[in-house]
Amino acid sequence: MRLGVDLGGTKIEILALASGGHQVLRERIATPQGSYEDIVRAIADLVHSSEKKLGRKCSVGLGIPGAISSKSGLVKNANSTKLIGHALDKDLSAALHRLIRIENDANCFTLSESSDGACRDAPAVFGIIAGTGVGGGVCIEGQVLRGSHNVAGEWGHNPLPRPSLAEVEHAPDCYCGQKGCIESWCSGPALMRLYKAQSGLTKSVPQIVEAAAHGDAIALDHMEAFYDRFARSIATIVNVLDPDVIVLGGGLSNIEALYHELPPRVEHYAFTPEGPSKIVKNRHGDSSGVRGAAWLWGEDEVALGRPRG
Ligand SMILES: [Zn+2]
């Protein structure tokens, strides 16, 4: 039995997967807003209480909104800033008396969809989470590709490709310190901000999409610009990795028009003379991050009772 834990800024979710990816337990608690130590204790308590309910000891994988530095072994790039600079994998392993695995949440999403989700038979998968931010992950043959600095897939902080003069002139500041990152143009908050600048109206992303569907000229123009920017950004992934499938997750993946608007535009911008790339919606929705954390331990490893390799 494998436990996956998804650590977010407001909630910690746990899920148990039996063989074949069958879900047997799922719970969530509020993330402690106190110290780092409180967070470690809360995760350990959640694992122990789940194991008590399941009646067995399990493997544990954890998804976090950040990465473990390959150089220092400490958490970096986390928007949950309490984690930064701590050896979370070591501290949690000590608290649980076992080896645990930690992975970036976008990598967990990609692993989940690659393992038993929307692209389970695809050798090379690029997963995109587009919501509050824009992140990504890479899975090759069902394994997460971390890269030598644990930042593989962090394409949301590349600059928007092929920018117009206006996009250069109005490149938004990004929290990472750069200007004009893909995330600062294509995230949910960016969509809302740009629509407000154009229309003077405050609308949620679903409201903007609905207004476009009803023929609202400003919303149509705005969504057209969004599809074009998103397609330019995805085209760079195609030119570098040429994945068999690109799977979309996060709140923006619920925009159904993406799946017919993006492929021809990506084909136009990418160096792909043999047809459009396959862009699909995720299978597991909000569960994908926590499922991917559980998949950090393979079924073969759990069956053998030891890590492979
Ligand atoms: Zn950035």
Side-chain angles (χ1 to χ4, degrees):
M1 193 80 74
R2 292 165 293 162
L3 288 174
V5 181
D6 185 33
L7 172 58
T10 57
K11 66 173 174 60
I12 302 172
E13 188 162 13
I14 194 163
L15 170 143
L17 287 186
S19 65
H22 179 60
Q23 178 186 315
V24 289
L25 174 146
R26 188 175 179 185
E27 289 177 10
R28 61 171 59 176
I29 60 168
T31 305
Q33 297 303 311
S35 65
Y36 165 77
E37 288 74 18
D38 292 339
I39 294 174
V40 173
R41 201 173 307 117
I43 296 171
D45 289 348
L46 196 55
V47 167
H48 286 138
S49 68
S50 299
E51 288 182 327
K52 204 169 174 186
K53 284 175 195 158
L54 294 165
R56 66 183 77 183
K57 193 173 175 182
C58 306
S59 65
V60 178
L62 174 68
I64 61 167
I68 301 283
S69 164
S70 53
K71 200 171 173 185
S72 67
L74 308 176
V75 175
K76 64 173 183 176
N77 298 353
N79 54 17
S80 187
T81 51
K82 279 194 198 87
L83 305 177
I84 291 175
H86 288 283
L88 181 57
D89 55 342
K90 289 192 179 62
D91 294 339
L92 199 53
S93 290
L96 290 169
H97 307 292
R98 78 195 79 169
L99 186 64
I100 67 141
R101 287 182 179 155
I102 293 188
E103 197 53 75
N104 171 267
D105 48 12
N107 289 355
C108 288
F109 163 77
T110 310
L111 179 60
S112 164
E113 294 298 328
S114 179
S115 297
D116 70 342
C119 28
R120 62 176 303 167
D121 297 319
V125 175
F126 194 91
I128 293 173
I129 297 187
T132 314
V134 176
V138 183
C139 275
I140 306 292
E141 306 284 357
Q143 299 288 314
V144 172
L145 179 76
R146 294 179 185 84
S148 71
H149 301 87
N150 281 352
V151 294
E154 288 293 352
W155 132 105
H157 294 282
N158 280 4
L160 184 73
R162 300 180 191 270
S164 66
L165 285 175
E167 285 168 340
V168 171
E169 195 179 337
H170 300 292
D173 290 326
C174 183
Y175 77 89
C176 74
Q178 303 286 348
K179 272 175 98 71
C181 290
I182 289 168
E183 176 167 306
S184 68
W185 285 106
C186 295
S187 66
L191 267 178
M192 292 170 63
R193 186 190 72 240
L194 292 163
Y195 179 77
K196 190 177 181 185
Q198 204 172 349
S199 67
L201 301 171
T202 301
K203 283 188 194 286
S204 66
V205 172
Q207 286 170 335
I208 299 168
V209 172
E210 198 179 330
H214 285 92
D216 178 296
I218 293 177
L220 276 169
D221 185 43
H222 181 71
M223 291 308 296
E224 170 72 22
F226 168 66
Y227 296 139
D228 193 73
R229 289 175 186 135
F230 208 17
R232 277 182 263 156
S233 305
I234 291 175
T236 62
I237 297 166
V238 173
N239 283 0
V240 173
L241 188 66
D242 195 12
D244 297 286
V245 183
I246 295 167
V247 58
L248 306 186
L252 300 188
S253 69
N254 294 319
I255 302 174
E256 296 299 333
L258 281 174
Y259 304 98
H260 61 83
E261 293 285 353
L262 288 178
R265 293 166 201 256
V266 173
E267 185 181 15
H268 170 72
Y269 286 119
F271 190 56
T272 49
E274 292 179 12
S277 300
K278 195 172 174 188
I279 301 173
V280 301
K281 190 174 182 178
N282 63 82
R283 178 185 175 198
H284 293 301
D286 289 346
S287 304
S288 229
V290 72
R291 289 181 68 91
W295 276 107
L296 290 173
W297 291 90
E299 290 191 314
D300 54 333
E301 295 177 299
V302 176
L304 285 169
R306 58 180 163 78
R308 67 172 85 90

